[in-house]
Structures are given as C-alpha cells and as structure tokens.
Amino acid sequence: MFDHVKFGVSDYAASKAFFLQALAPLGVTLVGEGEPSYGAELAGSGDASLCLYQSAEKPAPLHIAFRADSREQVDAFWQAALAAGGKDNGAPGLRLNYHASYYAAFVIAQTGTILKPCAIWRGNGRLPLRKNPHILRRERQMAVFGIAQRRSVG
C-alpha cells in the first residue's frame, strides 16, 4: 500500500467531487483541504492518503491501485466511479494474468488517471503481499536499479 499519492489536476472542483464519489464505497472521505493550489487529502481507514491539487501542468498518466477488502467493494467502486463520470476500462472480474484470485476493475478518471481497486484472496484470507505479482515485479526492478526498499513486505 502507499503512504500517499499526490498529483495535479486541471479541474480541481470536478476532480475532488469525482474522487470523493468514486472512492466512497471504499470508505474514503475528505480529511483535509487547503487552497486549490495546495489541495485536498482523501483517506480511508488506513494510513495511506490520496492528495490532489490544482495545476496548469498536464499530469503524466498515473495508475493507482487501491486495496479493497472484498469483491463487493470492487464492484461498488466500479459502479460509483462510472456514476461519477469515469470511463470504464475493465469491468470487475478475475484477472488470471495477475493471479488466480486477483479480482479487480479498471476506471479512467476525467484526469486520465487509471484507477484500479483490487481484492486478492486465497482461501479465507488475503494473499500475502510478498506473493502479489505487482510487488514482486517492483522488488525485481528495485534490485536491478539498486534502490533500497523503504520497508519490508510480507
């Protein structure tokens, strides 16, 4: 999981409204806000937050994956994001190319940001992070470039 992700948006009010509506099924709310140039911080029950601010610069494509506690949360996120004006980029379902029980959906926000809630299950419990293919790929990339991990996973 991430600590926070901060990115610039061209329409602050519309983007804030979109993310608040789309992420509501995941328990995300507005926890702090300053001037649009400083931005808003959105967070759920965990330690991570999503921050957005008004910017004239066009942001590069950004992919943000949110942890969901269940497939039902993934489904609810996808429906809420589409209702908020997002573009469908992959309906909720298993993504066997990632893992046998990797359940996710993809939505493109008005900013062009790719959003993906995902729930990964094995048996009655969540798949440990060290088995997540995205984490393994990131660890391999970090090793190749000699980047130290901020914290251990697993």
Side-chain angles (χ1 to χ4, degrees):
M1 185 60 147
F2 54 83
D3 178 72
H4 72 275
V5 173
K6 185 170 185 175
F7 60 96
V9 296
S10 59
D11 187 336
Y12 176 75
S15 295
K16 182 177 83 169
F18 171 82
F19 282 103
L20 283 172
Q21 184 177 345
L23 297 174
L26 301 179
V28 172
T29 61
L30 181 68
V31 296
E33 184 171 21
E35 293 295 317
S37 61
Y38 178 78
E41 182 176 13
L42 297 89
S45 60
D47 295 330
S49 65
L50 178 67
C51 307
L52 52 122
Y53 63 96
Q54 181 72 41
S55 176
E57 296 179 44
K58 186 173 182 169
L62 179 64
H63 175 116
I64 304 173
F66 298 93
R67 279 198 198 146
D69 292 328
S70 67
R71 291 180 178 187
E72 291 77 20
Q73 273 192 334
V74 172
D75 296 345
F77 168 91
W78 183 74
Q79 292 170 356
L82 295 181
K87 180 182 174 189
D88 178 19
N89 196 36
L94 287 171
R95 303 297 192 248
L96 299 177
N97 52 322
Y98 296 151
H99 185 273
S101 37
Y102 194 100
Y103 189 87
F106 295 84
V107 174
I108 299 176
Q110 295 99 327
T111 60
T113 305
I114 299 169
L115 306 176
K116 175 183 73 175
C118 54
I120 306 168
W121 297 89
R122 179 169 60 189
N124 292 328
R126 192 172 170 77
L127 184 68
L129 283 177
R130 68 181 177 277
K131 302 292 184 186
N132 182 317
H134 297 293
I135 299 296
L136 291 173
R137 184 178 67 232
R138 186 178 323 126
E139 287 175 350
R140 284 192 299 271
Q141 290 169 341
M142 291 169 72
V144 168
F145 293 105
I147 301 170
Q149 283 186 263
R150 197 170 111 199
R151 62 182 179 149
S152 63
V153 292

